[in-house]
Amino acid sequence: MSSFKLTLLILLTSLSSIYAWVHPGILHSAGDLKRMLSYVNAGRAGTPSNQYSDYLLLARDYLSSDTYGMSTPVTILTQRAAFERDGTAAYQNALMWYLTGDKSHANKSIAIMDSWSSTIKSVDPAYRDRQLASSLGPFMMTNAAEIIRYTDAGWTTTGIQNFEFMLTNVFYPRLNDHSGSQYEANVGSGNTKAMMAFGVFTQNQTMYNEAIDYYSNERCSGLPLDISPTGQASESGRDQQHVQLGLGNLAESCQIAAVQGTHDLYGLLSNRLLVGYEYTAKYNLGYTVPYDASFQRCSAHNIGGPFPTISTSGRGRFRPIYELAYAHYVSTKKLSMPYTSQIIQQVVTEVGSGVNSRADNSGWGTLKYRIL
Ligand SMILES: *[C@@H]1O[C@H](CO)[C@@H](O)[C@H](O)[C@H]1NC(C)=O
Ligand SMILES: *[C@@H]1O[C@H](CO)[C@@H](O)[C@H](O)[C@H]1NC(C)=O
């Protein structure tokens, strides 16, 4: 091979591994936002839809309000609830800004993000939930940041830089810490989705690729560790809340990669995530599923396991995670998800995260993800 050809080959190989970042582009591309707006505009003009009904519920939620009273930011985070609420409020206000054009929503979102990013210095390394604190709420807030940054909302360069600094230097170090029994099951899949979102917002390909690798291979939260070939989740014996949280986390990671167009995570292991959704949907609808007691999460003993049978705890309390997977696998890929489909028909309008934490998954899937 001539040295010119060799140089060209090397150049092309390295170019092809540089992502053309899509912005806005964490959970929602510009096209996704436009689709939401089209349903909202049609609804305002008198054409009803489930998407529009869901929008009306979103608009009524206190976390979507431009008068939402945020918490007082702290320098060292030692609990997570307040940040999660603020992160969700920032995200919902960002969506409201896009869907109403009302600047007061953008301003509320920016005020929340700027107050936190100019104050927080660290997540306490001794805090038991340090990884959840660095993933769930920050993931929500990064979705807000992405929308605000790319929709002419008036966010200052200093605000954007502070936000990037916070992601890379406050939250990322906790997500990348594999010590102890962290980075497992739903905690690990939460870390992965947050790390992917941070990678997109900061355009850091190293960080993004690290997260992609965790999705596929992490030793206690990679896809094959989270969902067995039959669809059983590694926490199916623990309770249905954690199972659904984990499924939602995985789907959110898949969605980011789909929006970016870099990897088909949804399709990994012959659509393993679809199989996982269907298993859990079927069980939570009241049907019987097979249970293999040898398939357990890492460190199951730390949370009362290993579990000999599937858990009835939380059974039938559907978390807002189903629309996202359904939109991809059924509406886009034309695959079949009969049990997930039953849940969607029962729920009709998926709202934000429920009883345990507002910030567990992105929610409002009927408005955000439903295509047809
Ligand atoms: C939003 O914030 C900008 C900059 O601080 C301010 O000029 C503007 O009046 C605010 N708009 C609303 C509707 O609050
Ligand atoms: C990109 O992410 C890596 C971790 O994956 C981090 O070490 C590095 O500092 C980040 N780069 C920048 C410019 O922030």
Side-chain angles (χ1 to χ4, degrees), residues 66 102-108 110 153-154 156:
D66 60 2
D102 181 346
K103 203 68 182 269
S104 63
H105 285 294
N107 284 4
K108 173 57 72 174
I110 291 169
T156 63

Side-chain angles (χ1 to χ4, degrees), residues 160-227:
I160 293 169
Q161 284 169 350
N162 283 348
F163 198 85
E164 291 197 331
F165 188 89
M166 173 177 76
L167 298 184
T168 305
N169 299 289
V170 176
F171 297 124
Y172 169 78
R174 297 290 169 267
L175 304 186
N176 156 269
D177 172 10
H178 293 253
S179 60
S181 67
Q182 293 282 298
Y183 226 110
E184 295 176 352
N186 72 82
V187 178
S189 57
N191 291 357
T192 300
K193 75 175 182 184
M195 201 185 283
M196 279 183 81
F198 300 175
V200 172
F201 188 78
T202 63
Q203 305 201 127
N204 183 330
Q205 189 163 328
T206 312
M207 191 184 290
Y208 183 86
N209 284 347
E210 184 182 350
I212 294 281
D213 185 47
Y214 288 161
Y215 185 91
S216 326
N217 301 315
E218 212 286 332
R219 68 187 162 85
C220 286
S221 66
L223 180 64
L225 281 300
D226 284 336
I227 304 176

